Amino acid sequence: MATLAQVAQHAGVSASTVSYVLSGKRTISTATRLRVEQSIRELGYHPNAGARALASSRSNIIALMVPLRTDMYVPVMMEIAVAVATTARTHGYDVLLLTGEEGPDAVRRVTGSGLADAMILMDVELDDERLPLLRGTDQPSVLIGLPADTSGLTCVDLDFEATGALCVDHLAMLGHRDIAVIGEAPAVYERHTGFAERTLDGLRSRAGKLGVRVLHRPCGGGYDAMSVTLARILDERPGTSGFVVQNEQAVEPLLALLRRQGLAVPEDVSVVAVCPDQVAVQASVRLTSVSIPAQEMGRHAVERLVAKLDGRGTDDVVLIAPELTVRTSTGPAPTAAS
Amino acid sequence: MATLAQVAQHAGVSASTVSYVLSGKRTISTATRLRVEQSIRELGYHPNAGARALASSRSNIIALMVPLRTDMYVPVMMEIAVAVATTARTHGYDVLLLTGEEGPDAVRRVTGSGLADAMILMDVELDDERLPLLRGTDQPSVLIGLPADTSGLTCVDLDFEATGALCVDHLAMLGHRDIAVIGEAPAVYERHTGFAERTLDGLRSRAGKLGVRVLHRPCGGGYDAMSVTLARILDERPGTSGFVVQNEQAVEPLLALLRRQGLAVPEDVSVVAVCPDQVAVQASVRLTSVSIPAQEMGRHAVERLVAKLDGRGTDDVVLIAPELTVRTSTGPAPTAAS
DNA sequence: TTGAAAGCGCTAACAG
DNA sequence: CTGTTAGCGCTTTCAA
């Protein structure tokens, strides 16, 4: 490969001039700039990443740590990852893909080696063991998700509390007084990822204000688990007319089982989902839903990070406001008469 | 951060000794090695990635180019990506995430800058515009997927022809003589990604040999598209008793619509899917399926690549043998009498 | 079994 | 507006 020195020679200028043409950190006369650019093109020059990183102590790489688990929220994760990668590129950064597997060691490795300038962590747990490391380093980072203690950290996430409230608002407005919440698998709650609890908090506190009753049941994906869960709900609260589902795997089973019970959606029962739009529109009933704005979260995270790298930017929490899209799975609560 | 020189000083040896302790490229007396390792630990030393890359012209990074499109086969893509990342780590490599967006430019950039030592391309098209670049460089690469011309390339993919044949074998063995194939969305065929066609080839040639009739219909995801497709199939070939679906988005709609038509699975019609195992077991009927071995493909790709980087390894095509798992969606064809 | 030293290709003072 | 030059931290000959 051609080197900067060769470009300099070819263009009849010094190495630093070429460097400054590349970085734009110095004003260069148009004449020389054009000449240099011409040489760059002719020689097919690409700056060497290693040399650049060494000399500038900047790798122009952002590390993205994704959960190893490929069982939950996969499309969301992927969408975030892709959004991160494309947004990063527009700011001149590449993305290094780390799996959660290595845990805190990966953080140490990346910060220690200067492999990446900054990092984005997904799937953050309430009491994540990587957080102390992040607080203890000057390497900028952004979390996608919300830990219990956000002090000294920058976080981006959907406002799940508002999400819960929004779901209740919508159902209450339609006259539903008994709502069942189908939550994530018990394992998700045990992992203390927080978002499920936050939704529930929002759901409950708004329901309290509006005089709506809420029954919450975690539920693994699949038909069998859903079948048991639904039976218990209808047994315990026969008057349930509204459902909120926050579990991609449970959506289709719920709809199928309701059908089997002779409960029509939205005539007999209404269903609101918290899921990616794609899931909502491809379900067997087009679902009224609060979407999970994966792209926006990825984009936001990168932009926060770049701001920090540029010396702007602060530690804070960005909660994205939820948006509820009404589709055909919700309607007025059936009156007692019917 | 501590530098190699500091470690050397701390341990009372020269820089090169530390370097050799790290790389193992020279025999070091146990005494000094222990001393050096001790110093490394005490100082919390991590080799600087940029310096290492510059001096050795090896970044220890593998680039992974994933499709930008997040509409199709997302879980598979993600699973491959994660498998690539974890496998790469076990070989001492990190993974750089590139989106298809930049196209050939990304290939140029990465090879030119020495950012990565090698690359893996996913979602390869039959006549992919990145291929000439790969052939023209000495940078090792592996494709996941099969282009039209594989000469000079290393490829890893599921053997989709054998997959098609396997599906026909299974259905024919159960007595089905009229099979309908629900394929990918027309857009997939138009993109010339090849795998869909290969499945179809395998399906048809085996069907020809076994005297089975095959009707193929591309189909976008969702209920509406599936509804139209299914109606046309049953209209054209009322005797259809076996279905092969190669389209995650179409699986659940197909099952629901069959149910609505009063066609019981597997009593009246059998369904074989080509999809990840997860989709097969979480569908409303546990599907007999040929699984898409995402992890295995990712792992294979990395291992091929590492072999090349180590000077072993050759250009060739690795087709992974399909495996059909019988679940509850297939059964004997109904006899004419019934 | 170990050291000394010459770069790898680039950036960023410093100097003009 | 441009050139000179001293490193950045590591690898790897060459020499002992």
mmCIF file of all heavy atoms in Angstrom, chain A residues 51-82:
data_model
loop_
_atom_site.group_PDB
_atom_site.id
_atom_site.type_symbol
_atom_site.label_atom_id
_atom_site.label_comp_id
_atom_site.label_asym_id
_atom_site.label_seq_id
_atom_site.Cartn_x
_atom_site.Cartn_y
_atom_site.Cartn_z
ATOM 1 N N ALA A 51 -1.146 3.106 12.295
ATOM 2 C CA ALA A 51 -0.233 4.231 12.452
ATOM 3 C C ALA A 51 -0.978 5.456 12.955
ATOM 4 O O ALA A 51 -0.523 6.179 13.845
ATOM 5 C CB ALA A 51 0.433 4.551 11.116
ATOM 6 N N ARG A 52 -2.125 5.645 12.398
ATOM 7 C CA ARG A 52 -2.948 6.768 12.791
ATOM 8 C C ARG A 52 -3.333 6.667 14.270
ATOM 9 O O ARG A 52 -3.221 7.628 15.033
ATOM 10 C CB ARG A 52 -4.210 6.736 11.938
ATOM 11 C CG ARG A 52 -4.929 8.012 11.891
ATOM 12 C CD ARG A 52 -5.966 7.952 10.800
ATOM 13 N NE ARG A 52 -5.736 8.986 9.823
ATOM 14 C CZ ARG A 52 -6.654 9.340 8.931
ATOM 15 N NH1 ARG A 52 -7.807 8.720 8.888
ATOM 16 N NH2 ARG A 52 -6.412 10.309 8.089
ATOM 17 N N ALA A 53 -3.764 5.496 14.648
ATOM 18 C CA ALA A 53 -4.165 5.290 16.031
ATOM 19 C C ALA A 53 -2.988 5.519 16.969
ATOM 20 O O ALA A 53 -3.126 6.148 18.021
ATOM 21 C CB ALA A 53 -4.728 3.878 16.207
ATOM 22 N N LEU A 54 -1.852 5.026 16.559
ATOM 23 C CA LEU A 54 -0.678 5.170 17.418
ATOM 24 C C LEU A 54 -0.289 6.633 17.588
ATOM 25 O O LEU A 54 -0.045 7.108 18.700
ATOM 26 C CB LEU A 54 0.498 4.386 16.825
ATOM 27 C CG LEU A 54 1.819 4.490 17.593
ATOM 28 C CD1 LEU A 54 1.646 4.046 19.035
ATOM 29 C CD2 LEU A 54 2.887 3.658 16.908
ATOM 30 N N ALA A 55 -0.237 7.321 16.500
ATOM 31 C CA ALA A 55 0.222 8.713 16.546
ATOM 32 C C ALA A 55 -0.795 9.636 17.198
ATOM 33 O O ALA A 55 -0.422 10.608 17.857
ATOM 34 C CB ALA A 55 0.543 9.193 15.141
ATOM 35 N N SER A 56 -2.054 9.346 17.001
ATOM 36 C CA SER A 56 -3.058 10.283 17.496
ATOM 37 C C SER A 56 -3.725 9.808 18.780
ATOM 38 O O SER A 56 -4.514 10.533 19.361
ATOM 39 C CB SER A 56 -4.126 10.506 16.428
ATOM 40 O OG SER A 56 -4.818 9.303 16.191
ATOM 41 N N SER A 57 -3.398 8.612 19.179
ATOM 42 C CA SER A 57 -4.112 7.926 20.268
ATOM 43 C C SER A 57 -5.635 8.039 20.121
ATOM 44 O O SER A 57 -6.344 8.336 21.057
ATOM 45 C CB SER A 57 -3.661 8.377 21.656
ATOM 46 O OG SER A 57 -3.195 9.678 21.692
ATOM 47 N N ARG A 58 -6.060 7.812 18.926
ATOM 48 C CA ARG A 58 -7.485 7.774 18.591
ATOM 49 C C ARG A 58 -7.680 6.692 17.550
ATOM 50 O O ARG A 58 -7.091 6.753 16.485
ATOM 51 C CB ARG A 58 -7.906 9.106 17.960
ATOM 52 C CG ARG A 58 -8.062 10.253 18.922
ATOM 53 C CD ARG A 58 -9.372 10.146 19.664
ATOM 54 N NE ARG A 58 -9.987 11.474 19.795
ATOM 55 C CZ ARG A 58 -11.279 11.690 19.569
ATOM 56 N NH1 ARG A 58 -12.060 10.696 19.196
ATOM 57 N NH2 ARG A 58 -11.783 12.891 19.738
ATOM 58 N N SER A 59 -8.496 5.721 17.845
ATOM 59 C CA SER A 59 -8.671 4.635 16.881
ATOM 60 C C SER A 59 -9.826 4.893 15.923
ATOM 61 O O SER A 59 -9.964 4.217 14.912
ATOM 62 C CB SER A 59 -8.932 3.330 17.631
ATOM 63 O OG SER A 59 -10.160 3.428 18.336
ATOM 64 N N ASN A 60 -10.658 5.860 16.286
ATOM 65 C CA ASN A 60 -11.875 6.090 15.507
ATOM 66 C C ASN A 60 -12.748 4.850 15.445
ATOM 67 O O ASN A 60 -13.357 4.549 14.424
ATOM 68 C CB ASN A 60 -11.540 6.577 14.100
ATOM 69 C CG ASN A 60 -11.201 8.048 14.118
ATOM 70 O OD1 ASN A 60 -12.032 8.876 14.454
ATOM 71 N ND2 ASN A 60 -9.957 8.374 13.807
ATOM 72 N N ILE A 61 -12.747 4.149 16.535
ATOM 73 C CA ILE A 61 -13.593 2.957 16.641
ATOM 74 C C ILE A 61 -14.436 3.059 17.904
ATOM 75 O O ILE A 61 -13.957 3.472 18.960
ATOM 76 C CB ILE A 61 -12.728 1.682 16.680
ATOM 77 C CG1 ILE A 61 -12.137 1.420 15.292
ATOM 78 C CG2 ILE A 61 -13.541 0.486 17.146
ATOM 79 C CD1 ILE A 61 -11.238 0.207 15.241
ATOM 80 N N ILE A 62 -15.689 2.713 17.757
ATOM 81 C CA ILE A 62 -16.601 2.639 18.893
ATOM 82 C C ILE A 62 -16.911 1.171 19.143
ATOM 83 O O ILE A 62 -17.238 0.442 18.205
ATOM 84 C CB ILE A 62 -17.918 3.389 18.580
ATOM 85 C CG1 ILE A 62 -17.662 4.892 18.523
ATOM 86 C CG2 ILE A 62 -18.974 3.066 19.623
ATOM 87 C CD1 ILE A 62 -18.873 5.685 18.056
ATOM 88 N N ALA A 63 -16.771 0.745 20.377
ATOM 89 C CA ALA A 63 -17.097 -0.640 20.699
ATOM 90 C C ALA A 63 -18.574 -0.753 21.054
ATOM 91 O O ALA A 63 -19.110 0.101 21.752
ATOM 92 C CB ALA A 63 -16.246 -1.132 21.851
ATOM 93 N N LEU A 64 -19.195 -1.786 20.551
ATOM 94 C CA LEU A 64 -20.606 -2.029 20.865
ATOM 95 C C LEU A 64 -20.733 -3.400 21.502
ATOM 96 O O LEU A 64 -20.383 -4.413 20.901
ATOM 97 C CB LEU A 64 -21.451 -1.986 19.591
ATOM 98 C CG LEU A 64 -22.916 -2.368 19.758
ATOM 99 C CD1 LEU A 64 -23.675 -1.306 20.544
ATOM 100 C CD2 LEU A 64 -23.569 -2.576 18.400
ATOM 101 N N MET A 65 -21.205 -3.427 22.735
ATOM 102 C CA MET A 65 -21.304 -4.699 23.428
ATOM 103 C C MET A 65 -22.738 -5.187 23.367
ATOM 104 O O MET A 65 -23.638 -4.575 23.948
ATOM 105 C CB MET A 65 -20.881 -4.489 24.879
ATOM 106 C CG MET A 65 -20.097 -5.645 25.433
ATOM 107 S SD MET A 65 -19.178 -5.123 26.894
ATOM 108 C CE MET A 65 -19.110 -6.692 27.744
ATOM 109 N N VAL A 66 -22.966 -6.268 22.657
ATOM 110 C CA VAL A 66 -24.318 -6.813 22.527
ATOM 111 C C VAL A 66 -24.464 -8.038 23.419
ATOM 112 O O VAL A 66 -23.485 -8.706 23.719
ATOM 113 C CB VAL A 66 -24.636 -7.208 21.068
ATOM 114 C CG1 VAL A 66 -24.409 -6.053 20.135
ATOM 115 C CG2 VAL A 66 -23.801 -8.395 20.655
ATOM 116 N N PRO A 67 -25.689 -8.328 23.857
ATOM 117 C CA PRO A 67 -25.886 -9.500 24.697
ATOM 118 C C PRO A 67 -25.566 -10.760 23.912
ATOM 119 O O PRO A 67 -25.797 -10.830 22.710
ATOM 120 C CB PRO A 67 -27.362 -9.433 25.063
ATOM 121 C CG PRO A 67 -27.978 -8.513 24.076
ATOM 122 C CD PRO A 67 -26.918 -7.574 23.629
ATOM 123 N N LEU A 68 -25.041 -11.730 24.603
ATOM 124 C CA LEU A 68 -24.708 -12.989 23.954
ATOM 125 C C LEU A 68 -25.985 -13.753 23.639
ATOM 126 O O LEU A 68 -26.138 -14.337 22.579
ATOM 127 C CB LEU A 68 -23.840 -13.821 24.893
ATOM 128 C CG LEU A 68 -23.368 -15.138 24.323
ATOM 129 C CD1 LEU A 68 -22.519 -14.898 23.092
ATOM 130 C CD2 LEU A 68 -22.575 -15.898 25.361
ATOM 131 N N ARG A 69 -26.867 -13.740 24.607
ATOM 132 C CA ARG A 69 -28.160 -14.378 24.455
ATOM 133 C C ARG A 69 -28.782 -14.013 23.115
ATOM 134 O O ARG A 69 -28.916 -12.830 22.788
ATOM 135 C CB ARG A 69 -29.096 -13.822 25.536
ATOM 136 C CG ARG A 69 -29.621 -14.831 26.498
ATOM 137 C CD ARG A 69 -30.279 -14.110 27.642
ATOM 138 N NE ARG A 69 -29.332 -13.311 28.385
ATOM 139 C CZ ARG A 69 -29.322 -11.998 28.401
ATOM 140 N NH1 ARG A 69 -30.204 -11.311 27.715
ATOM 141 N NH2 ARG A 69 -28.408 -11.357 29.093
ATOM 142 N N THR A 70 -29.159 -14.995 22.356
ATOM 143 C CA THR A 70 -29.817 -14.646 21.098
ATOM 144 C C THR A 70 -31.261 -15.110 21.155
ATOM 145 O O THR A 70 -31.847 -15.462 20.157
ATOM 146 C CB THR A 70 -29.098 -15.288 19.895
ATOM 147 O OG1 THR A 70 -28.944 -16.674 20.171
ATOM 148 C CG2 THR A 70 -27.752 -14.661 19.671
ATOM 149 N N ASP A 71 -31.820 -15.099 22.352
ATOM 150 C CA ASP A 71 -33.173 -15.624 22.472
ATOM 151 C C ASP A 71 -34.237 -14.545 22.600
ATOM 152 O O ASP A 71 -35.394 -14.782 22.363
ATOM 153 C CB ASP A 71 -33.261 -16.552 23.690
ATOM 154 C CG ASP A 71 -32.880 -15.811 24.964
ATOM 155 O OD1 ASP A 71 -32.215 -14.763 24.859
ATOM 156 O OD2 ASP A 71 -33.246 -16.277 26.053
ATOM 157 N N MET A 72 -33.825 -13.355 22.994
ATOM 158 C CA MET A 72 -34.836 -12.342 23.283
ATOM 159 C C MET A 72 -34.557 -11.050 22.555
ATOM 160 O O MET A 72 -33.416 -10.630 22.472
ATOM 161 C CB MET A 72 -34.848 -12.079 24.784
ATOM 162 C CG MET A 72 -36.140 -11.475 25.265
ATOM 163 S SD MET A 72 -35.937 -10.802 26.920
ATOM 164 C CE MET A 72 -34.627 -9.626 26.692
ATOM 165 N N TYR A 73 -35.607 -10.449 22.050
ATOM 166 C CA TYR A 73 -35.460 -9.139 21.459
ATOM 167 C C TYR A 73 -34.403 -9.087 20.374
ATOM 168 O O TYR A 73 -33.757 -8.073 20.185
ATOM 169 C CB TYR A 73 -35.081 -8.122 22.533
ATOM 170 C CG TYR A 73 -36.297 -7.603 23.225
ATOM 171 C CD1 TYR A 73 -36.643 -8.034 24.484
ATOM 172 C CD2 TYR A 73 -37.119 -6.707 22.563
ATOM 173 C CE1 TYR A 73 -37.781 -7.571 25.102
ATOM 174 C CE2 TYR A 73 -38.257 -6.239 23.168
ATOM 175 C CZ TYR A 73 -38.591 -6.675 24.442
ATOM 176 O OH TYR A 73 -39.715 -6.213 25.028
ATOM 177 N N VAL A 74 -34.234 -10.183 19.703
ATOM 178 C CA VAL A 74 -33.177 -10.237 18.720
ATOM 179 C C VAL A 74 -33.335 -9.197 17.617
ATOM 180 O O VAL A 74 -32.384 -8.493 17.289
ATOM 181 C CB VAL A 74 -33.072 -11.651 18.118
ATOM 182 C CG1 VAL A 74 -32.023 -11.685 17.054
ATOM 183 C CG2 VAL A 74 -32.749 -12.642 19.224
ATOM 184 N N PRO A 75 -34.521 -9.089 17.038
ATOM 185 C CA PRO A 75 -34.650 -8.097 15.969
ATOM 186 C C PRO A 75 -34.338 -6.700 16.470
ATOM 187 O O PRO A 75 -33.714 -5.906 15.781
ATOM 188 C CB PRO A 75 -36.121 -8.219 15.566
ATOM 189 C CG PRO A 75 -36.536 -9.581 15.996
ATOM 190 C CD PRO A 75 -35.763 -9.840 17.251
ATOM 191 N N VAL A 76 -34.741 -6.413 17.687
ATOM 192 C CA VAL A 76 -34.461 -5.096 18.245
ATOM 193 C C VAL A 76 -32.960 -4.878 18.387
ATOM 194 O O VAL A 76 -32.415 -3.845 17.994
ATOM 195 C CB VAL A 76 -35.137 -4.937 19.626
ATOM 196 C CG1 VAL A 76 -34.807 -3.584 20.215
ATOM 197 C CG2 VAL A 76 -36.635 -5.105 19.498
ATOM 198 N N MET A 77 -32.304 -5.878 18.913
ATOM 199 C CA MET A 77 -30.854 -5.789 19.086
ATOM 200 C C MET A 77 -30.160 -5.534 17.755
ATOM 201 O O MET A 77 -29.286 -4.691 17.634
ATOM 202 C CB MET A 77 -30.315 -7.107 19.670
ATOM 203 C CG MET A 77 -30.831 -7.428 21.050
ATOM 204 S SD MET A 77 -30.156 -6.258 22.260
ATOM 205 C CE MET A 77 -31.186 -6.620 23.674
ATOM 206 N N MET A 78 -30.585 -6.326 16.783
ATOM 207 C CA MET A 78 -29.963 -6.224 15.469
ATOM 208 C C MET A 78 -30.199 -4.845 14.869
ATOM 209 O O MET A 78 -29.293 -4.246 14.301
ATOM 210 C CB MET A 78 -30.577 -7.299 14.561
ATOM 211 C CG MET A 78 -29.927 -7.416 13.217
ATOM 212 S SD MET A 78 -28.323 -8.235 13.340
ATOM 213 C CE MET A 78 -27.819 -8.201 11.622
ATOM 214 N N GLU A 79 -31.403 -4.367 15.040
ATOM 215 C CA GLU A 79 -31.745 -3.068 14.481
ATOM 216 C C GLU A 79 -30.914 -1.975 15.150
ATOM 217 O O GLU A 79 -30.433 -1.051 14.504
ATOM 218 C CB GLU A 79 -33.239 -2.809 14.682
ATOM 219 C CG GLU A 79 -33.874 -2.038 13.546
ATOM 220 C CD GLU A 79 -35.372 -1.907 13.729
ATOM 221 O OE1 GLU A 79 -36.006 -2.900 14.148
ATOM 222 O OE2 GLU A 79 -35.902 -0.810 13.461
ATOM 223 N N ILE A 80 -30.756 -2.104 16.448
ATOM 224 C CA ILE A 80 -29.928 -1.139 17.157
ATOM 225 C C ILE A 80 -28.495 -1.215 16.657
ATOM 226 O O ILE A 80 -27.863 -0.198 16.357
ATOM 227 C CB ILE A 80 -29.965 -1.403 18.684
ATOM 228 C CG1 ILE A 80 -31.359 -1.112 19.242
ATOM 229 C CG2 ILE A 80 -28.927 -0.549 19.403
ATOM 230 C CD1 ILE A 80 -31.495 -1.376 20.734
ATOM 231 N N ALA A 81 -28.002 -2.439 16.534
ATOM 232 C CA ALA A 81 -26.612 -2.614 16.111
ATOM 233 C C ALA A 81 -26.384 -1.991 14.739
ATOM 234 O O ALA A 81 -25.394 -1.274 14.521
ATOM 235 C CB ALA A 81 -26.256 -4.098 16.094
ATOM 236 N N VAL A 82 -27.312 -2.233 13.848
ATOM 237 C CA VAL A 82 -27.157 -1.684 12.500
ATOM 238 C C VAL A 82 -27.254 -0.156 12.535
ATOM 239 O O VAL A 82 -26.482 0.542 11.875
ATOM 240 C CB VAL A 82 -28.203 -2.279 11.537
ATOM 241 C CG1 VAL A 82 -28.204 -1.542 10.220
ATOM 242 C CG2 VAL A 82 -27.920 -3.759 11.314
#
